[in-house]
Amino acid sequence: MRINHIVFLMIVLLAGPAALGFGGGAAEGTDVPGDQPLEKITLVLDWVPNTNHTGAYVAQAEGFFAQEGLDVEIVQPSEIGADAMVAAGRAEFGFSYQEGVTFARTAQNPVPVVSIAAVIQHNTSGFAGPASRNLEGPADFEGKRYGGWGSAVEEATIHALMEQAGADPSTVEFLNIGSADFFQSIQRDIDFAWIFWAWTGIEAQIRGVELDYVDLGKVNPVFDYYTPVIITSESLIEEEPGLISRFLAALTKGYEFAMTQADAAAAILVEAVPEIPLELARESQAFLADQYQAEAPVWGHQRREVWSRYAGWLYGEGFLEQQLDVDQAYTNEFLPR
């Protein structure tokens, strides 16, 4: 689980709707002996499988999708990214991020994807480095080396946090480390990086690596955005709203299972994806069990102010081609009532 959002956001923007061939992707029917035909659909992940995706694997393994008449294939994204695959009809549903949907919908050639559920209620990412570097808050970034992906949004985020703390962001050295391993990088090249606590932070605890961690969503509410979210296309909303309701009914059961039976959910994830270490899955799942819904009335619920304030910040910083129409970017309409 890496903070690689900006990489595929740029892919989305560069690809554009014409190049991606929007408009295809009708769901197929599959005959199941002794049962009603299941409707075959595709769910594309945003990255390699991890505990952000547990609810989907649970819904598949526990038969929640089948109960809604769905045969769901879970796939990893192609080189064009999940947003573009969904918008182009190559997958009916996908995992994305609030910033991904925001950039997609405000691009010069807008990508028509809509967020239909928040997987986690609060941003569980932040900036982390070895405890020996004394990174207790953004002011402590002064004079440090930051390792990231070389995106302008990363730099602007750090600048905003440091200026809020009265620190000088010009003293930070920004290094592009690409997909280099976090644990190796903090030993030799950098002082801090942007991580998801539910994955890399938990892995550090298991390894016995003591980290200082600046929780992004807690130091400034602007950055407490939804990451990840579930998306679909505008065309599917218009043409098959019932399919979206059935998909989310099953997916909600999957995440509710993960919230109440974290160990069992972790075991299901590892059975589906044996490459994931069981201890990491269990510890990460235990952490996320309280994060999926948090204080929201139901799993998946999204608030307008969360969408509005981050889009407003991105626009004010000059990252968006145009203002985001927030009410078109997300909906709670299809969540179970």
Side-chain angles (χ1 to χ4, degrees), residues 44-310:
V44 58
L45 305 180
D46 53 337
W47 188 244
V48 296
N50 58 67
T51 43
N52 280 351
H53 311 129
T54 301
Y57 284 97
V58 169
Q60 188 180 54
E62 292 296 299
F64 300 148
F65 285 135
Q67 290 169 13
E68 295 293 337
L70 302 175
D71 177 9
V72 178
E73 181 184 15
I74 301 173
V75 302
Q76 293 188 40
S78 70
E79 69 281 357
I80 65 172
D83 297 65
M85 289 178 67
V86 170
R90 300 179 191 175
E92 284 76 12
F93 302 98
F95 282 81
S96 183
Y97 312 91
Q98 179 177 330
E99 63 267 49
V101 175
T102 300
F103 274 88
R105 295 191 63 89
T106 58
Q108 187 172 8
N109 294 310
V111 180
V113 291
V114 178
S115 173
I116 54 174
V119 176
I120 300 170
Q121 278 297 310
H122 296 281
N123 189 344
T124 57
S125 72
F127 296 102
S132 60
R133 312 293 164 80
N134 298 315
L135 300 170
E136 296 182 1
D140 299 320
F141 297 164
E142 279 191 337
K144 301 294 195 306
R145 297 165 300 170
Y146 170 75
W149 293 267
S151 77
V153 172
E154 287 175 276
E155 193 166 334
T157 301
I158 291 173
H159 276 230
L161 295 178
M162 292 183 69
E163 288 168 355
Q164 175 183 293
D168 181 5
S170 69
T171 62
V172 177
E173 182 179 2
F174 289 88
L175 301 173
N176 187 342
I177 63 170
S179 58
D181 179 77
F182 169 77
F183 294 100
Q184 291 181 2
S185 296
I186 59 173
Q187 288 179 347
R188 64 187 187 197
D189 304 319
I190 63 171
D191 297 304
F192 69 110
W194 197 341
I195 69 167
F196 274 108
W197 183 260
W199 199 253
T200 307
I202 297 295
E203 184 178 359
Q205 291 179 332
I206 293 171
R207 290 180 177 216
V209 177
E210 189 175 353
L211 296 180
D212 278 343
Y213 179 68
V214 178
D215 192 325
L216 190 55
K218 291 183 179 176
V219 288
N220 189 327
V222 165
F223 302 113
D224 190 16
Y225 47 80
Y226 297 122
T227 175
V229 297
I230 304 296
I231 59 169
T232 192
S233 64
E234 287 186 352
S235 59
L236 199 68
I237 288 176
E238 181 177 348
E239 296 165 7
E240 298 194 60
L243 169 62
I244 299 171
S245 295
R246 287 187 289 132
F247 174 78
L248 282 185
L251 194 62
T252 297
K253 290 180 181 178
Y255 280 100
E256 288 175 344
F257 184 105
M259 286 186 272
T260 57
Q261 303 181 60
D263 262 6
I268 289 172
L269 176 65
V270 172
E271 184 173 354
V273 189
E275 297 82 3
I276 298 176
L278 180 58
E279 183 179 9
L280 175 57
R282 282 178 170 164
E283 295 298 323
S284 177
Q285 204 60 62
F287 170 79
L288 286 175
D290 293 331
Q291 304 294 322
Y292 288 129
Q293 184 174 335
E295 75 285 356
V298 295
W299 174 82
H301 186 264
Q302 302 171 82
R303 292 186 296 141
R304 191 181 191 284
E305 66 180 281
V306 175
W307 280 89
S308 179
R309 67 190 175 203
Y310 188 56

